[in-house]
């Protein structure tokens, strides 16, 4: 057991910003989700020194393998749905027994969870990692202990890590697509609304609500959305609450308003910005639907969204049930379907195929919008607007895979 290696992870975490996957089955599934329960607990504060929440799924029979799963935060809406679906699939199939743990959005707690699982030595360890600088070390530690690491819905380990750890896997959505979808929704709105420039300066003045600073989804959603707006011919103006930028390229790190994927943090931050910049906000770009809904609540409290004259376009990511309801009622402009069911089933099927000695390929996974490139399983986003909001469907209780 390489416990001394795990101790290094906490040191790395202390010098890095907390980062996380929130922040993405087939397209014919029906909508059922745990949004309400997750949102009700989303703002429950947990201290870092509390014991990790660990639960084991029930199985229909004798499992042939065990898997540990470390989620960054059970309270996150997207994660709550992915977690429930993964546990449902495992319980129904019975091939792999799952024990999961909650990192409570805290690196120290994640390190404790890692140490516990390294001690238990499951065959697979699924990691929704929040300590990006330590990703390669985590992968190496798993390999040294005979555990197959699967990084899920997080920043990918390096190419060197994949070369050094032949059993390393990565399953996640293509975050660049979500940023492009955000930008395209704003561009379409501007193209069809001559009154989009609220202060008449000829530039796009925006609020950029971010998840966590060094997380790849945050970086890509921020940069690709702004790059898409600029590519359409619109000049960026003030990054309200952040650092002004021009000539943005996809992958650029941009400082916006950090909200940690939290609805309440977004609402608080936007409330403060409206007081000083209310007449200047042309659009709000949020890294997930929870942040977008927080922004909408703040705007509504200040009298926005009563008619077209005081409408401010807000876009998010995830296509949660609450997000899609906001699209239907006309407050959220657009989102991207980051399908938690597809993530959960892709993670489980990778383990299932490996357990049965089968090669993991696009064909063997057989999931719409999912491709395999080497040991990376990549899930496509689907742009969602009022025109196709009914397509944002998934059923966390569907255990077919």
């Amino acid at each position: 057991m390489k416990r001394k290696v795990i101790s290094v992870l906490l040191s790395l975490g202390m010098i890095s910003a907390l980062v996380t996957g929130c922040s993405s089955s087939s397209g014919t599934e029906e909508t059922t989700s745990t949004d309400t329960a997750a949102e009700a607990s989303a703002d429950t504060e947990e201290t870092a020194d509390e014991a990790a929440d660990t639960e084991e799924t029930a199985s229909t029979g004798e499992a042939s393998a065990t898997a540990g799963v470390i989620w960054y935060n059970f309270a996150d809406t997207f994660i709550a749905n992915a977690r429930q679906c993964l546990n449902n699939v495992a319980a129904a199939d019975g091939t792999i027994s799952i024990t999961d743990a909650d990192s409570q959005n805290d690196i120290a707690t994640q390190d404790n969870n890692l140490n516990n699982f390294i001690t238990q030595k499951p065959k697979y360890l699924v990691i929704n990692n929040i300590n990006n600088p330590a990703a390669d070390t985590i992968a190496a530690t798993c390999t040294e202990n005979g555990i197959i690491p699967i990084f899920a819905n997080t920043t990918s380990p390096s190419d060197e890590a994949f070369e050094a750890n032949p059993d390393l896997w990565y399953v996640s959505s293509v975050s660049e697509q979500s940023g492009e979808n955000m930008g395209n929704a704003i561009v379409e709105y501007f193209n069809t609304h001559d009154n989009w420039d609220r202060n008449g300066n000829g530039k796009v003045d925006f609020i950029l609500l971010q998840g966590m600073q060094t997380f790849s989804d945050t970086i890509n959603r921020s940069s690709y959305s702004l790059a898409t707006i600029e590519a359409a011919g619109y000049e960026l103006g003030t990054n309200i609450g952040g650092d002004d930028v021009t000539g943005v390229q996809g992958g650029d790190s941009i400082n916006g308003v950090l909200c940690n994927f939290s609805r309440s943090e977004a609402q608080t931050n936007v409330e403060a910005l409206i007081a000083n910049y209310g007449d200047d906000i042309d659009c709000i770009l949020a890294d997930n639907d929870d942040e977008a809904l927080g922004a909408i609540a703040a705007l509504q409290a200040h009298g926005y969204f009563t008619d077209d004259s005081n409408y401010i376009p807000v876009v998010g990511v995830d296509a949660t049930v609450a997000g899609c309801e906001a699209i239907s009622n006309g407050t959220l402009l657009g989102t991207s379907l980051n399908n938690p069911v597809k993530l959960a089933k892709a993670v489980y099927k990778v383990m299932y195929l490996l357990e049965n000695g089968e090669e993991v390929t696009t064909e063997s996974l057989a999931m719409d919008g999912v491709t395999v490139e080497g040991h990376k399983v990549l899930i496509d986003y689907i742009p969602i607007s009022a025109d196709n909001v009914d397509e944002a469907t998934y059923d966390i209780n569907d255990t077919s895979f």
Side-chain angles (χ1 to χ4, degrees), residues 20 33 60-61 80 86 110 120 126 141 144 155 162 189 203 209 237 285 309 311 327 337 361 369 378 388 394:
T20 182
S33 96
T60 56
L86 179 59
Q110 175 179 283
Q120 295 167 21
V126 180
T141 301
E144 291 167 7
T155 299
F162 281 94
Y189 179 85
K203 300 178 181 180
L209 302 179
L285 306 159
S309 67
Y311 179 91
I327 289 178
L337 177 56
T361 66
L378 306 175
N388 69 336
Y394 50 81

Side-chain angles (χ1 to χ4, degrees), residues 74-116:
F74 285 178
D76 180 283
T77 302
F78 175 82
I79 294 302
N81 286 324
R83 176 194 177 218
Q84 187 61 58
C85 181
L86 179 59
N87 290 348
N88 289 344
V89 171
D93 176 61
T95 302
I96 300 160
S97 175
I98 287 178
T99 301
D100 62 16
D102 182 6
S103 292
Q104 302 168 6
N105 199 16
D106 178 75
I107 289 178
T109 303
Q110 175 179 283
D111 288 342
N112 183 54
N113 290 332
L114 281 165
N115 276 322
N116 289 340

Side-chain angles (χ1 to χ4, degrees), residues 7-267:
S7 69
V8 175
L9 305 184
L10 183 55
S11 297
L12 284 168
M14 288 179 176
I15 63 172
S16 69
L18 288 177
V19 288
T20 182
C22 159
S23 160
S24 256
S25 102
S26 72
T28 60
E29 293 168 324
E30 296 300 322
T31 304
T32 307
S33 96
T34 59
D35 276 9
T36 302
E39 286 165 7
S41 62
D43 299 317
T44 300
E45 296 183 357
E46 304 282 359
T47 58
D49 59 350
E50 288 178 348
D53 183 3
T54 305
E55 299 181 10
E56 185 171 357
T57 63
S59 173
T60 56
E62 186 70 23
S64 61
T66 58
V69 182
I70 301 174
W71 295 110
Y72 100 90
N73 190 358
F74 285 178
D76 180 283
T77 302
F78 175 82
I79 294 302
N81 286 324
R83 176 194 177 218
Q84 187 61 58
C85 181
L86 179 59
N87 290 348
N88 289 344
V89 171
D93 176 61
T95 302
I96 300 160
S97 175
I98 287 178
T99 301
D100 62 16
D102 182 6
S103 292
Q104 302 168 6
N105 199 16
D106 178 75
I107 289 178
T109 303
Q110 175 179 283
D111 288 342
N112 183 54
N113 290 332
L114 281 165
N115 276 322
N116 289 340
F117 280 124
I118 293 296
T119 300
Q120 295 167 21
K121 293 188 182 298
K123 184 169 185 179
Y124 305 95
L125 183 55
V126 180
I127 311 149
N128 182 213
N129 180 38
I130 57 175
N131 190 357
N132 287 346
D136 289 6
T137 302
I138 294 170
T141 301
C142 289
T143 298
E144 291 167 7
N145 284 276
I147 299 170
I148 297 173
I150 303 173
F151 282 72
N153 204 60
T154 184
T155 299
S156 173
S158 68
D159 291 341
E160 291 75 16
F162 281 94
E163 293 174 2
N165 303 280
D167 291 328
L168 172 61
W169 288 88
Y170 174 70
V171 182
S172 192
S173 301
V174 185
S175 57
E176 295 88 346
Q177 293 177 355
S178 60
E180 292 169 350
N181 292 344
M182 293 165 68
N184 284 328
I186 294 297
V187 167
E188 183 177 352
Y189 179 85
F190 287 172
N191 287 345
T192 56
H193 292 79
D194 293 335
N195 63 342
W196 68 265
D197 185 6
R198 301 185 68 248
N199 64 8
N201 68 353
K203 300 178 181 180
V204 180
D205 302 309
F206 60 94
I207 296 177
L208 185 63
L209 302 179
Q210 297 183 307
M212 296 181 185
Q213 202 163 35
T214 62
F215 176 45
S216 61
D217 278 11
T218 294
I219 293 169
N220 288 332
R221 289 170 186 173
S222 299
S223 61
Y224 278 88
S225 61
L226 295 176
T228 298
I229 292 170
E230 284 193 302
Y234 291 95
E235 182 179 355
L236 297 181
T238 302
N239 178 4
I240 299 170
D243 297 337
D244 292 347
V245 290
T246 58
V248 178
Q249 301 294 316
D252 287 351
S253 292
I254 299 166
N255 291 324
V257 181
L258 292 179
C259 298
N260 300 300
F261 298 112
S262 165
R263 180 171 181 166
S264 63
E265 289 190 38
Q267 183 170 349

Side-chain angles (χ1 to χ4, degrees), residues 267-345:
Q267 183 170 349
T268 298
N269 283 315
V270 174
E271 284 269 6
L273 293 173
I274 289 173
N276 294 318
Y277 302 96
D279 294 333
D280 299 316
I281 305 168
D282 295 322
C283 64
I284 297 179
L285 306 159
D287 270 358
N288 72 345
D289 286 351
D290 282 352
E291 291 180 346
L293 294 171
I296 289 169
L299 290 168
Q300 287 177 318
H302 284 265
Y304 291 88
F305 297 113
T306 60
D307 56 44
D308 189 58
S309 67
N310 61 12
Y311 179 91
I312 295 179
V314 180
V315 292
V317 177
D318 282 342
T320 62
V321 169
C324 290
E325 288 174 351
I327 289 178
S328 296
N329 70 32
T331 53
L332 183 64
L333 177 66
T335 184
S336 291
L337 177 56
N338 188 18
N339 194 323
V341 168
K342 194 168 289 186
L343 172 69
K345 291 185 176 182

